[in-house]
Amino acid sequence: MSSTAVGLGVAALLLAVPAVAQEVTIPTRSPRTGAVIFRGGGYKPRIDTEKALGGKTPYKDTFGDASLLLIEAEVQRFFYQGIGTAGLGLSAGYAEKYADAKLEDGSAAADKAALKVLPIQLNAFYKFDYAAFRWGIPLVPYAKLGLVFSPWWMTKGSATEVVEGDKASGGKWGWAGTAGVSFLLDVLEPRFARDFDSDLGVNHSYLFAEYTHADVNNFGGKGLNLGSRRWMFGLALDY
Amino acid sequence: MRLPFIGLLLFASTAVAQVPTVTFSSSSTSTTGLTVTVPKSDCGIQRRFSFTRTGAPCEESLYIYVTTGSCGTRPLAGDLTLATYGPSDTTASGNLSFSVEELLAARNSTADAGSAMTCENQTAEMTFNLCAAARRTDATGYTCQTTYSSVGTPAYVVKYDPAPPAKPTIGKVIARDSALSVQVDGAETDSTVVVEAAAVATADAGTSGDAGTDDAGTDADAGTDADGGTDDAGTDGGQGLVGALAVEGTTGPVTRVTKAAGEGNVVISGLINGVTYRIQATIIDKAGNESAQSAPAEGTPVKSNGLFDAYKDAGGEESGGCAATGGGIAGGAVLAALGIWLSSRRKVS
């Protein structure tokens, strides 16, 4: 075989490889319309900050310094996609905490006392993902402001508590502001991210951390304060 | 090769057509699968079965009977014959009734029966088979077999279980708020644990009626605390007041709670904090036999404080309920409307 023939063969091969690669890597981006978010974190209601308690700490006396584990899911809808993304989100979560009920002398009783909360939030959000998509910077800061409604109930044994005729269940309104930053996972495995989009319609994936300031006490009304200051962590999927 | 096979098939089908069959059925509530379990207390109660039959027996009668042996013979001494149908009898269906007492009496007819078997003195478990037996034609379809065959299906079994479960023990009584949690040991699988509690009689209990009425009506713990209510009973088999005084040395109403064995402690709720209750447990086995009562144990429900108790004691102003009920409904409506709006929005590409 002559060296000319070998050279022609190699050249043909080199020409063919980019052609094949180009065919495979043509991006097929699906429309990006919203996001699904899953997050969890410690939730410690500010029950003990109620003024009427006069510095007494029923929450701490019952549960110590422990927080409730709050798990939330959120669905977002994008209404603006330009320099960043803005839209509305609706989330719902659940948290509960158990501890021994106390006898009159302060020792542990056989019954279990529990606080259960089911926070629901409607929020408006903005996330600055322009830099991530345009310049490849994988960090996306964002902020949310929302209306919160938190159904709650307290149990002892297996029944909802009733004390002095008041049943320990209800719902509290409030507001919450959140700031956080997401890490765009696509940069770690671009190929996988593209497959995730073409196969399941998930455009982008993020891990995030966020801080929430929530005042949930019927906007300063009397009674239970279910507000909190908390860090939450989770996974977000743009679709 | 094909012709003999067809011939054999024709013969076989003729023979099948001659085979008498009896199909039994039972609507007994104590039937589990094909086993009818009879406790000692039901020994004299009639058990009812129905049957349908097709075909005719060959030469001799078709027998429907109950035996402790296996089916497929003529009824033997000691078996209880329920029905006999001759070759020309065209009865297509019927009912059968018998009690274990009758089965035991039939056993007494045998020469080696020994002492008479009765519901009272029969303490060991016995199993009886409901059978139908007849002679069939052989493979040719023209000649009767010399022996009897079992022609009854399905194979119902009547199981007489006169032995009560072992007496249980109360392992632990845990005092709860307006309730007692009772650990009962020694219950066999598939049995039911029964716990009864009543206030211990005191010197003045007979006249003051404390346990029965006054305290129950005025004690804030019992009257207003929902934990002292009936929620726990929901997880149990059932709870109710028993009119008779079933627990010795007690006064006032007896609370009876049932729960399937193996499902944890039995919780007796609706009790009065500070009152000592005497508790006894029994076991009812799958057949319905009840054990002897356990040794009594005592427990006293005690008031405990949950988070809301602590909160209210500390001066908390929460009164529960949706303080902003109207706002809650309105807010919920707003959230629902927004959700619908969000989902119905045209996708933005």
Side-chain angles (χ1 to χ4, degrees), chain B residues 4-52:
Chain B
F5 176 74
I6 292 172
L8 186 63
L9 198 63
L10 287 172
F11 276 120
S13 61
T14 307
V16 168
Q18 296 296 321
V19 171
T21 62
V22 177
T23 304
F24 297 117
S25 61
S26 169
S27 58
S28 171
T29 54
S30 60
T31 302
T32 304
L34 297 175
T35 301
V36 180
T37 308
V38 180
K40 187 167 189 170
S41 58
D42 290 353
C43 181
I45 294 176
Q46 295 281 315
R47 299 287 154 178
R48 187 181 170 96
F49 293 83
S50 300
F51 73 91
T52 57

Side-chain angles (χ1 to χ4, degrees), chain A residues 8 42 48 80 110 129 138 142 161 168 175 199 207 210-211 220 230:
Chain A
L8 285 172
D48 293 347
Y80 168 77
D129 49 18
Y142 62 89
E161 282 190 80
W175 67 274
D199 292 347
L207 288 177
E210 64 183 33
Y211 181 78
R230 63 181 185 266

